[in-house]
Amino acid sequence: MKPIVAPSILAADFANLEKEISMINESQADWVHVDVMDGVFVPNISMGIPVVEAIKRYSKKPLDVHLMIVRPEQFVEAFRKAGAEVISVHVEACDHLHRNIQQIKALGAKAGVAINPHTSIQTLENVIDQIDLICVMSVNPGFGGQKFIEGTYKKIEGLKKLIQNSGSKALIEIDGGVNQDNAQLLLNAGADVLVAGNFVFSSGNPKEVIQRLKSLG
Ligand code: DX5
Ligand code: ZN
């Protein structure tokens, strides 16, 4: 199966967002991955609701919004209105994860749950049949351009089993440090969605890099 490819706009040139989004529109990318950071859940601040609205105005591809924020339930409705089609919250940021997932689904978005590198996949056992996507962090969230954590492969394999045993249809998304060395191996392990920031935007030819990722499988 061909992967879903989601370039991460965090690595784009923020002074030329319209141009960067046009590039994604013309490319074989499936989604635009949008990283929202609050400086509390993660040690960095990125972009908020007005920027997501602006991206939505130009993007022909669905927005996959990754909320790295505390108390996400306060903001999911605003991000949905801003144009998010997939909304992922962090398991580590949710005291009432089941309720948060229902909230996202009730807004008509696809519900994703992100897990940090230290978080066990067992934390998802009781909600796995409720979610559309699991965002497996393959770096510690907060920054683009970090080194891929090798333990991710084992996590994907375990997650795949958990999904199959529960009858869940959740997609496995890998976020952080995806590049030419690990992309095929991630798909072999069971990944469905590849997020790529620096690998795409730091290359001389982003469209060609997206096409290369898309041709794996
Ligand atoms: C990290 C973000 C990632 C990041 C990926 O906190 O969630 O989506 O943009 O960037 P690269 O591919 O450069 O690691
Ligand atoms: Zn992300």
Side-chain angles (χ1 to χ4, degrees):
M1 263 259 293
K2 294 266 162 262
I4 291 173
V5 175
S8 171
I9 206 79
L10 184 69
D13 177 358
F14 281 9
N16 283 297
L17 269 185
E18 186 182 351
K19 189 177 124 255
E20 301 282 52
I21 296 160
S22 299
M23 180 282 290
I24 295 175
N25 285 342
E26 290 160 16
S27 78
Q28 290 185 42
D30 299 280
W31 298 348
V32 181
H33 186 82
V34 183
D35 288 309
V36 176
M37 305 179 183
D38 67 353
V40 180
F41 181 68
V42 286
N44 197 8
I45 297 175
S46 57
M47 63 193 102
I49 295 151
V51 180
V52 176
E53 271 168 8
I55 294 169
K56 179 67 187 175
R57 227 176 297 135
Y58 294 108
S59 180
K60 294 187 179 139
K61 316 266 172 157
L63 304 189
D64 169 34
V65 175
H66 176 194
L67 298 179
M68 285 162 273
I69 63 175
V70 296
R71 294 192 293 279
E73 67 279 4
Q74 294 190 317
F75 299 102
V76 290
E77 191 173 349
F79 280 107
R80 174 68 180 141
K81 281 195 184 133
E85 270 158 76
V86 184
I87 301 179
S88 296
V89 294
H90 264 266
V91 61
E92 303 85 2
C94 293
D95 289 330
H96 300 279
L97 183 63
H98 186 277
R99 178 183 286 151
N100 302 149
I101 293 164
Q102 307 314 321
Q103 183 195 16
I104 296 169
K105 295 210 296 194
L107 291 164
K110 287 198 182 357
V113 176
I115 56 170
N116 279 340
H118 76 277
T119 300
S120 156
I121 58 168
Q122 309 310 328
T123 56
L124 298 174
E125 211 175 331
N126 297 326
V127 291
I128 194 111
D129 59 332
Q130 303 286 311
I131 56 188
D132 300 299
L133 176 131
I134 300 144
C135 176
V136 177
M137 292 308 301
S138 40
V139 299
N140 285 295
F143 304 93
Q146 300 183 82
K147 191 176 173 303
F148 176 81
I149 296 172
E150 296 290 327
T152 307
Y153 300 113
K154 245 183 119 194
K155 221 167 175 177
I156 300 171
E157 285 161 11
L159 208 43
K160 203 76 193 173
K161 285 195 195 115
L162 198 63
I163 290 171
Q164 278 160 359
N165 294 340
S166 68
S168 161
K169 293 196 173 61
L171 298 173
I172 301 178
E173 174 177 72
I174 309 304
D175 189 8
V178 171
N179 59 31
Q180 74 274 13
D181 301 328
N182 53 34
Q184 184 62 59
L185 298 172
L186 290 166
L187 297 175
N188 297 348
D192 304 294
V193 185
L194 300 176
V195 174
N198 276 268
F199 180 46
V200 168
F201 288 96
S202 302
S203 76
N205 192 341
K207 260 190 255 179
E208 200 245 310
V209 172
I210 292 168
Q211 196 266 324
R212 256 195 282 151
L213 285 172
K214 198 61 198 168
S215 69
L216 302 174

